Each structure stands twice: as structure tokens, then as C-alpha cells.
């Protein structure tokens, strides 16, 4: 009989899945993860944790699966007999949820139900604790600021509406069947491995690529949106703490600090020595280079690669309405007092540190791209390429 606690993580190939898996392995867990079949490798974020299936006593095991496939989830849970399930899998992009609302509901809402039902059908109510990745998007059109566990919800996207179902079905299964089910209401959290189409990573990646001359400009949507941004490393630790309590409960996880997209942009470009000035409003708003300064981050990578020839006055940030949402969440700010008091949780990474860590990572990526490009090695193989 193994002494390791067993965790099952859905969404293990995502940002949070990768941080949480590494954290749980360090804590001595045996970690099982569910990944989707994809036509290209989708395990880049967890490759460092991979263990060959032929190794004895593995602590990291992957299973093919999908939140839209009930029998598959039931079989995996029966096989794994987890002490803890972390339901992190989701179609997690708010803007994309307007384009794929039915799929988003199937994965994000029904997927949660399928996992809870599996626990019940298998008679694991007393054994398996369940974490649901709930979100500050539930507050949507906010009814009070800052938001707490008692603030009313008002979801503003198909994603948020699907997550509202996930939230309540978790509460309902806790009350109806005594399942140790908990919601972490997490505000935005980012990292160097954040998906490239979320606004923070889109900005840090562009700042790095513009500084190295790989890209000319960036197009963004609503620059005035306000978010409470933390670091995924801090936030995944909170997910674990939530399941270690004596009683199941729901917690807001946030930093309690708010910044605009415009401000995130300003900080990220400053980190690569580009001082931005804004002019115009709405779709006419632009960000121009006001000045170029020395940047310690750029100096760290400049030995490997040339820089862009940028000049003050150049416009590098534009607004493109294609990135606007049909219904927007303008402002989010969390109050993490309950998590601080009950879980002893406080975020460690500051906003400035988060931005710099992301920019440094993207600078290194951009250097690699630049070296490959300048030496005639494209990063991605193309069926159009002439390999002759
Ligand atoms: P990501 O988008 O980085 O990861 C989502 C994960 O879910 C990926 O592993 C993805 O697989 C997987 N997935 C998507 N659809 C399915 C499906 N149908 N079946 C199985 N797996 C699926 O999200 P994050 O790591 O940032 O977020 C984790 C969770 O927390 C999500 O539920 C998100 O909605 C929620 N959340 C996130 C916040 C944030 O700021 N990051 C804040 C609050 C909540 P693949 O790699 O194959 O695409
Ligand atoms: P969000 O994150 O919608 O809060 O959901 P995202 O980074 O996509 O948007 C944050 C804010 O920035 C504005 N924005 C842009 N967003 C994107 N993606 N691209 C742009 O070009 C752009 N320009 C401006 C958006 O309008 C928005 O106001 C994230 C996801 O991780 C969810 O899964 C999670 O539940 C919530 O955070 C909390």
C-alpha cells in the first residue's frame, strides 16, 4: 500500500495544472493528470515532470481524457481512486466563449457535473475531496467593490455563465451528498507560462519581440479594463490549502490590488526600455514611444542578439475593436481577507515582479526566435517550406 496521497488534476497541461502538479509532487503526492488528445504535443508546460511509463513507482501519470466524455472520466476516477480532485480543465478564454458558447457550457458546466457525479456513482463521497476552479468572472457587472465571498454574481459571458453552474453544482453536491467540494474564486493570475492570447502574456510577448525587432506593433482591445492580477505560483498554492481545511468552503483568492490593461502595458514596455505615451481615446487611442531608456533586462539578453532600431514618436500600440467583447467586465478587485484569516494565505509576488518575470521569460524566447530567424532556421516546420 503506497503512502503517497493521490491527486487527480484535470487541465494538467494548462498554466495552473503545471504549477499545481509540480507543487503537489514536491509535497509528496502521486499526481495523475488528464490531458486531451491533440494533433501536436500539448505537454510543453509539464514536460519537465514527465516520467517514462516503464519507470517503477511513478509519481506523475497522464491519462487521455476529456471533460465532455462522462464514461472516460468515470473510468479514470475509478482507476485512480483520488484523495483529491482539482478540476482545472476548462475552455478558459472569455472572448472565445462568445464564439463557442455551447462547447464552453459542455466542458465548463457539464464537465464539472460529470466529475461530481463520478464521485457519487463510485461511492467516493467520503474519500475524495473536490476543488472547483471558480472565477472572479462570476462577479461580471460588479455589484460591490471589492468583491468578497458574499458579493452577488452577475456573469457577463458564456464562459462566466457556465462557471456559475460549476460553482453552484459544487455547492449543491456538498450540501446534498456531503462531498468535500470547494470553490476557489480566483481572480486573474498570470505567469511566464500563461496562454499567449490572454492580455498579459500577449503584451509581455509583444514587448519582447518589438524590442528585438521581430514585431512592429501590438493591437489590443479595451485598455481601460481593470483587473486584480496575481501570480499563478501563489494562486495554485491556495488551491491546495483550500482542500486541506477541516470543513469544505468557498474562498476568494486575490491580491487586493488593481491595475488597468494600459498600466500593465506601460510597465511591460518600460521593462524593455521603451517609455510609452498615450494619445487619443477609444478606438483612436495609441501608444507612442516617448523615450528609449537603458534596460537591465535587455542588457541580459543583448549579448546574444541584435536590437530593433526604434525611434521616439513611433506608434507601437493600437486599439483594434476585434478584441472588444460583446459584454465586457470593466473592473474586478478582490478582497482576500477570508483566505488570509482561515488559510493563512497571502500572495508573495508583487505586480512589478510579475511583469518583469514575464517580460524576461519572453525576451529569452524572442532571442531564440531571432537567432533562428537570422540564421535561416524557421521555428515551425511548414508544409510549404522547401526542405530540398
Ligand atoms: P488554461 O487555459 O491555461 O488551461 C486549461 C486546461 O484545460 C488545459 O489543460 C486544457 O487542455 C484543458 N481543457 C480545456 N478543455 C478541456 C476539455 N474539454 N477536456 C479536458 N481538458 C480540457 O487555464 P488556466 O490554467 O489559466 O486556468 C485553470 C482553471 O482556472 C480554468 O478552469 C480557468 O477557467 C480557471 N480560472 C483561471 C484563472 C486565471 O486567471 N488563470 C482565474 C480564475 C479561474 P489543452 O492544453 O489541451 O488546451
Ligand atoms: P479575462 O482575461 O477575460 O479577465 O479572463 P484576459 O487576459 O483575456 O482579458 C483581461 C482584460 O483585458 C482586456 N483586453 C484584452 N484581452 C485579450 N485577451 N486580448 C486583448 O487583446 C485585449 N485587450 C484588452 C479584456 O477585454 C479584459 O477586460 C481570464 C481567464 O483566465 C479566465 O479563465 C479567468 O476566469 C479570468 O481571467 C479570471
Amino acid at each position: 500500500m503506497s503512502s503517497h496521497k493521490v491527486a487527480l488534476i484535470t487541465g494538467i497541461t494548462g498554466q495552473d495544472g503545471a504549477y499545481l502538479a509540480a507543487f503537489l509532487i514536491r509535497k509528496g503526492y502521486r499526481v495523475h493528470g488528464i490531458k486531451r488528445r491533440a494533433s501536436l504535443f500539448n505537454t510543453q508546460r509539464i514536460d519537465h515532470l514527465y516520467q517514462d511509463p516503464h519507470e517503477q513507482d511513478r509519481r506523475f501519470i497522464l491519462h487521455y481524457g476529456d471533460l465532455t466524455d462522462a464514461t472516460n472520466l468515470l473510468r479514470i476516477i475509478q482507476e485512480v481512486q483520488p484523495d483529491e480532485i482539482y478540476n482545472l480543465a476548462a475552455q478558459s478564454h472569455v472572448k472565445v466563449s462568445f464564439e463557442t458558447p455551447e462547447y464552453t457550457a459542455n466542458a465548463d458546466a457539464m464537465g464539472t457535473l460529470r466529475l461530481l457525479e463520478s464521485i457519487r456513482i463510485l461511492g467516493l463521497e467520503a474519500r475524495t475531496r473536490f476543488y472547483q476552479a471558480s472565477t472572479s468572472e462570476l462577479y461580471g457587472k460588479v455589484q460591490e467593490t471589492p468583491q468578497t465571498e458574499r458579493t452577488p454574481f452577475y456573469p457577463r459571458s458564456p464562459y462566466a455563465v457556465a462557471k456559475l453552474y460549476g460553482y453552484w453544482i459544487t455547492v449543491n453536491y456538498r450540501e446534498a451528498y456531503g462531498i468535500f467540494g470547494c470553490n476557489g474564486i480566483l481572480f486573474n493570475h498570470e505567469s511566464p507560462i500563461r496562454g499567449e492570447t490572454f492580455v498579459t502574456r500577449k503584451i509581455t510577448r509583444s514587448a519582447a519581440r518589438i524590442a528585438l525587432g521581430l514585431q512592429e506593433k501590438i493591437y489590443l482591445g479595451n485598455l481601460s479594463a481593470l483587473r486584480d492580477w496575481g501570480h499563478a505560483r501563489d494562486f495554485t498554492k491556495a488551491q491546495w490549502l483550500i482542500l486541506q481545511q477541516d470543513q469544505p468552503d468557498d474562498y476568494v483568492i486575490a491580491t487586493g490590488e488593481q491595475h488597468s490593461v494600459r498600466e500593465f502595458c506601460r510597465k511591460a514596455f518600460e521593462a524593455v526600455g521603451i517609455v510609452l505615451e498615450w494619445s487619443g481615446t477609444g478606438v483612436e487611442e495609441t501608444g507612442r514611444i516617448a523615450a528609449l531608456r537603458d534596460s537591465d533586462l535587455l542588457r541580459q539578453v543583448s549579448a546574444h542578439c541584435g536590437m530593433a532600431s526604434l525611434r521616439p514618436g513611433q506608434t507601437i500600440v493600437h486599439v483594434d475593436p476585434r478584441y472588444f467583447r460583446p459584454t465586457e467586465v470593466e473592473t474586478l478587485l478582490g478582497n482576500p481577507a477570508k483566505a488570509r484569516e482561515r488559510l493563512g494565505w497571502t500572495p508573495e509576488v508583487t505586480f512589478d515582479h510579475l511583469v518583469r518575470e514575464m517580460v524576461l521569460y519572453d525576451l529569452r524566447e524572442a532571442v531564440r526566435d531571432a537567432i533562428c530567424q537570422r540564421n535561416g532556421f524557421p521555428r515551425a516546420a511548414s508544409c510549404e517550406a522547401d526542405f530540398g
Side-chain angles (χ1 to χ4, degrees), residues 135-148:
T135 164
S136 52
E137 285 291 299
L138 296 174
Y139 300 116
K141 193 170 174 184
V142 300
Q143 307 293 299
E144 78 178 337
T145 295
Q147 293 86 54
T148 72

Side-chain angles (χ1 to χ4, degrees), residues 92-94 135-137 159 186-188 190 194 197-200 202 219-223 225 227 229 261 323 325 328-329:
S92 72
H93 203 284
V94 173
T135 164
S136 52
E137 285 291 299
Y159 165 78
L186 271 56
F187 283 63
N188 298 54
E190 320 293 312
R194 179 64 145 153
T197 61
F198 296 100
V199 76
T200 54
K202 180 172 168 182
Y219 292 92
L220 292 168
N222 180 9
L223 297 172
R227 289 291 183 274
W229 279 297
V261 170
Y323 300 112
R325 283 126 196 231
E328 172 66 305
V329 174

Side-chain angles (χ1 to χ4, degrees), residues 11-13 33-43 63-68 89-92 103 107:
I12 197 153
T13 56
I34 297 183
K35 69 163 181 170
R36 299 192 288 181
R37 193 269 158 183
S39 68
L40 290 170
F41 288 128
N42 61 353
T43 52
H63 307 256
Y64 280 111
D66 199 298
L67 281 195
T68 60
Q91 191 304 90
S92 72
Y103 171 71

Side-chain angles (χ1 to χ4, degrees), residues 117-150:
E117 266 298 280
S118 300
I119 293 176
R120 201 164 77 89
I121 291 167
L122 294 168
L124 293 172
E125 297 95 328
R127 168 175 183 150
T128 303
R129 296 185 171 200
F130 182 80
Y131 173 87
Q132 169 60 10
S134 286
T135 164
S136 52
E137 285 291 299
L138 296 174
Y139 300 116
K141 193 170 174 184
V142 300
Q143 307 293 299
E144 78 178 337
T145 295
Q147 293 86 54
T148 72
E149 292 78 6
R150 288 175 308 283

Side-chain angles (χ1 to χ4, degrees), residues 8-66:
L8 174 64
I9 303 177
T10 73
I12 197 153
T13 56
Q15 170 188 259
D16 287 13
Y19 275 103
L20 182 65
F23 175 82
L24 293 178
I25 289 170
R26 283 198 300 277
K27 285 265 171 215
Y29 280 68
R30 189 183 307 281
V31 174
H32 292 258
I34 297 183
K35 69 163 181 170
R36 299 192 288 181
R37 193 269 158 183
S39 68
L40 290 170
F41 288 128
N42 61 353
T43 52
Q44 292 87 332
R45 292 184 176 111
I46 48 171
D47 281 345
H48 60 296
L49 304 174
Y50 179 79
Q51 285 183 299
D52 189 285
H54 305 97
E55 276 182 42
Q56 296 296 310
D57 198 30
R58 277 188 302 156
R59 300 265 306 283
F60 185 70
I61 300 129
L62 293 177
H63 307 256
Y64 280 111
D66 199 298

Side-chain angles (χ1 to χ4, degrees), residues 364-376:
R364 292 191 175 128
E365 291 272 290
V367 165
R368 204 172 58 176
D369 280 2
I371 291 170
C372 287
Q373 202 180 78
R374 281 161 203 167
N375 291 288

Side-chain angles (χ1 to χ4, degrees), residues 303-316:
H304 308 285
C305 167
M307 297 295 127
S309 45
L310 298 166
R311 52 182 167 70
Q314 203 176 327
T315 300
I316 54 174

